[in-house]
Amino acid sequence: MLIARGLTKEYQSGDRTIAVLRDVSFEVPQGQFVAIVGPSGSGKTTLLGLLAGLDAPSRGNVTIDGGDFSALGEDARAQVRGEKVGFVFQSFQLIPTLTALENVQVPLELRGEPRATARARELLDRVGLGGRTHHFPNQLSGGEQQRVALARAFVNRPSILFADEPTGNLDSDNGTRIVELIESLNRESGSTVVLVTHDLDLAQRAQRVIRLSDGALVSDEATTGDRPPTTDPRQVA
């Protein structure tokens, strides 16, 4: 499903070349839940940006569903992202002037989907916000905003979901419940999930943990696979 080969990202600083990411390679099969961990400055977010096609590598390539993602131009990468990729961000990235329902509808409306409203309502109900569809982001708690962001990310049935520190702005309980919801949606949809986190306890809930240090991949291990029972999403504040 997702293949990274020799991913390297370098920047010029005067006459110096700074390598933020160095020769990272791995494969992720369809439907797997993978966590990427490492200390601050290890290259986690840079790697996620390259995998998602938000940035281009200095060397190496990314393959998604058999196609060389990194060889595409920006317009073509944007089209692939719209068709196959979902995103969840630490800061939610909701449009403040749109309701929860309208935020979730946006990806479908951009694709001209005829059932955008019905599909958005279905996802909001699935994440426990069926009664909050007409609330604006500033009327929702942090946990609720992140659930709206999750619904938006899954609304177009993506082949792969990228999540960059999705629990970083939440307290411990809400953070754990958001990850449980990602697990649940991962199982139901069969989407591949690639999650960046600094929280090692949350990372252990994934099926596999990839660890970075100083821009290099230093370990790639399967977890025990023992996940606690999924929390009802309506409990996420």
Side-chain angles (χ1 to χ4, degrees):
M1 166 56 198
L2 173 67
I3 303 173
R5 284 282 177 266
L7 286 182
T8 297
K9 186 63 179 180
E10 298 173 339
Y11 297 96
Q12 287 297 129
S13 178
D15 58 355
R16 296 175 57 215
T17 300
I18 300 173
V20 180
L21 207 64
R22 298 181 285 117
D23 196 28
V24 172
S25 298
F26 58 88
E27 298 184 14
V28 181
Q30 180 66 40
Q32 191 170 64
F33 181 10
V34 179
I36 299 175
V37 303
S40 178
S42 62
K44 302 186 300 297
T45 295
T46 297
L47 174 58
L48 199 71
L50 297 180
L51 296 175
L54 298 176
D55 197 4
S58 302
R59 292 186 296 280
N61 65 285
V62 176
T63 300
I64 293 181
D65 275 353
D68 189 347
F69 198 23
S70 50
L72 301 176
E74 176 51 40
D75 288 347
R77 289 203 305 272
Q79 181 176 353
V80 172
R81 286 195 299 268
E83 294 173 352
K84 298 184 177 183
V85 175
F87 296 92
V88 179
F89 302 96
Q90 177 177 343
S91 55
F92 317 138
Q93 298 292 332
L94 300 179
I95 301 172
T97 56
L98 299 183
T99 64
L101 181 65
E102 291 166 341
N103 266 282
V104 177
Q105 286 178 223
V106 166
L108 296 178
E109 290 180 339
L110 290 174
R111 294 172 54 182
E113 294 279 346
R115 294 186 64 254
T117 300
R119 173 66 177 161
R121 287 186 185 279
E122 175 188 333
L123 262 294
L124 284 171
D125 185 62
R126 175 62 190 83
V127 300
L129 292 175
R132 308 280 274 169
T133 58
H134 296 297
H135 287 72
F136 291 91
N138 65 2
Q139 297 173 313
L140 302 172
S141 70
E144 288 172 334
Q145 289 185 63
Q146 194 59 295
R147 280 189 280 160
V148 174
L150 274 176
R152 181 182 59 189
F154 276 98
V155 75
N156 64 348
R157 299 177 177 85
S159 299
I160 186 165
L161 173 76
F162 294 107
D164 188 9
E165 298 281 8
T167 64
N169 282 340
L170 304 177
D171 60 51
S172 178
D173 287 345
N174 274 323
T176 298
R177 290 164 182 161
I178 286 295
V179 172
E180 289 173 347
L181 188 52
I182 291 175
E183 290 173 356
S184 178
L185 291 168
N186 162 243
R187 286 191 294 264
E188 292 172 8
S189 68
S191 296
T192 303
V193 174
V194 180
L195 166 74
V196 162
T197 183
H198 66 279
D199 188 325
L200 298 183
D201 290 334
L202 292 182
Q204 287 301 314
R205 302 179 67 93
Q207 297 165 320
R208 175 180 171 194
V209 177
I210 292 173
R211 187 180 303 272
L212 299 182
S213 180
D214 294 326
L217 192 158
V218 295
S219 68
D220 183 349
E221 301 176 342
T223 64
T224 61
D226 295 329
R227 303 182 187 180
T230 300
T231 299
D232 186 331
R234 291 165 181 78
Q235 295 179 22
V236 185

